[in-house]
Amino acid sequence: LSPAEQIETAVIALQVGCVGQGIYHSEPQRFAFENITAVISPKDDEQAIQAALDRGEILADAINLTRELVNHPAQDIYPASFAARAEELAGQYGLKCEVFDEKRLEMEKMGSFLAVARGSSQPPRMVILEHHGGAKGAPTLYLCGKGVTFDSGGLSLKPSAGMLDMKMDMAGAATVLGAMTAIARLKLPVNVVALMGLTENMVSGSSYKLGDVLTARNGTTIEVHNTDAEGRLVLADVLS
């Protein structure tokens, strides 16, 4: 690695390594560094080193954002609260943001996505973020993230041990959101659109059922054999 790459890697490690999962611990188990000093050779390019420091900080912030969202329980991170956080970050970093609420999802005929959301008291959302740093007419990269903020398995109910970590079933959407903040802050010369499908998969009298035939946004019909295969139903409509 070049000196700049070594600095960037060290900054990421230091910032990420001092942040743990103890969001609710009364006594913190890890502590942020007050100061970090980079010692460089007179032969090193100071501008390149500073750029590496800045890039490392931005990438570490994006990683820590994703980890924070994943580590919060479903009582805190649910479709509407995730969407609100995405809107806040979009405003902070200059990303274009649009949020589809339940009515808009119905207008878009996103039937497979909405079926997954049917059993929850938390209404679904879809977040669209856009970064236009590339030339007009240049190719656009699309990122699509699964954001099931809690997955009980639906009527195909998971056992308790399998359900314990299902607050993390939105890690795909959290990763996409973290990536978009880094892309915007680094001012990358690319065009990127990110889509995050946000819902819970819960059990109630309105839950979608085994044997139901759903109609996705593109007109494809889907027969449900297992309600714990919800991720593909969400992503099918989000991709469409």
Side-chain angles (χ1 to χ4, degrees), residues 112-129:
S112 62
F113 183 177
L114 288 166
V116 176
R118 200 186 300 157
S120 175
S121 60
Q122 295 286 357
R125 295 287 187 269
M126 184 171 77
V127 175
I128 305 172
L129 298 177

Side-chain angles (χ1 to χ4, degrees), residues 41-171:
S41 164
K43 297 178 182 179
D44 291 333
D45 184 336
E46 287 191 26
Q47 285 188 329
I49 296 296
Q50 185 60 56
L53 286 166
D54 294 340
R55 181 179 172 86
E57 181 179 1
I58 289 169
L59 294 176
D61 285 347
I63 293 167
N64 283 334
L65 167 64
T66 295
R67 294 172 79 212
E68 177 211 332
L69 292 169
V70 169
N71 283 320
H72 272 295
Q75 69 197 55
D76 292 341
I77 298 297
Y78 45 90
S81 68
F82 188 110
R85 185 73 178 277
E87 284 185 294
E88 176 188 351
L89 291 165
Q92 186 175 349
Y93 298 128
L95 292 161
K96 181 181 177 183
C97 180
E98 186 176 8
V99 177
F100 286 13
D101 61 12
E102 197 167 14
K103 288 184 178 179
R104 179 64 187 273
L105 295 170
E106 289 170 355
M107 286 175 58
E108 295 289 340
K109 299 182 179 179
M110 300 175 77
S112 62
F113 183 177
L114 288 166
V116 176
R118 200 186 300 157
S120 175
S121 60
Q122 295 286 357
R125 295 287 187 269
M126 184 171 77
V127 175
I128 305 172
L129 298 177
E130 299 182 32
H131 168 79
H132 297 288
K136 188 176 181 180
T140 298
L141 171 67
Y142 283 80
L143 303 176
C144 185
K146 175 186 173 184
V148 180
T149 56
F150 190 79
D151 179 19
S152 71
L155 292 178
S156 303
L157 193 67
K158 294 178 182 288
S160 292
M163 204 188 301
L164 182 61
D165 292 333
M166 285 299 102
K167 65 179 184 179
M168 300 181 182
D169 213 20
M170 37 63 71

